[in-house]
Amino acid sequence: MQKVNKFKSKDDVQFIIGTNLRKMCRDKQVNLMEFAEEIDISYEYLRHIVSIGGQKSLSFYSMYKIAKILGVSMDDLCEGIFDDNKKDYKE
């Protein structure tokens, strides 16, 4: 019998945040190079965050800056992380 984990994996969380951020940037027609400068991270790092697979994670402070600049809430950036009905996460 497999034990059901009550937490999503770090990779799953990074993927969800990266996907949400990619969609928000696309919807608001944000230039990623300028956006990276504004939030004080490298363009390459930001590109890895928004790439499919969410290859990098963000600090809480970077997420805060992103939310403020985009005019969205932290909840918007994290939408889907706490939705446990979509997938079972097993160890």
Side-chain angles (χ1 to χ4, degrees):
M1 179 189 240
Q2 287 184 320
K3 178 181 171 187
V4 175
N5 187 353
K6 62 182 175 179
F7 300 106
K8 290 186 171 130
S9 72
K10 180 180 177 183
D11 291 341
D12 288 334
V13 170
Q14 286 175 193
F15 176 80
I16 291 167
I17 292 172
T19 300
N20 291 341
L21 181 56
R22 180 176 58 253
K23 183 181 181 315
M24 289 173 190
C25 287
R26 186 179 56 238
D27 291 350
K28 294 179 181 278
Q29 299 178 335
V30 171
N31 177 303
L32 290 182
M33 193 165 286
E34 293 171 3
F35 190 55
E37 284 183 31
E38 199 168 355
I39 59 176
D40 199 29
I41 62 175
S42 74
Y43 168 72
E44 281 298 310
Y45 197 83
L46 180 60
R47 198 171 63 78
H48 285 288
I49 292 165
V50 300
S51 69
I52 295 174
Q55 300 168 357
K56 299 283 184 179
S57 62
L58 286 164
S59 71
F60 184 82
Y61 185 62
S62 292
M63 286 179 58
Y64 162 76
K65 290 190 291 185
I66 287 168
K68 290 291 276 184
I69 292 166
L70 290 178
V72 300
S73 70
M74 295 284 281
D75 286 343
D76 293 334
L77 283 176
C78 297
E79 185 177 342
I81 290 175
F82 300 105
D83 183 1
D84 292 330
N85 296 324
K86 290 187 178 181
K87 182 176 177 183
D88 288 330
Y89 293 88
K90 300 182 189 271
E91 295 183 327

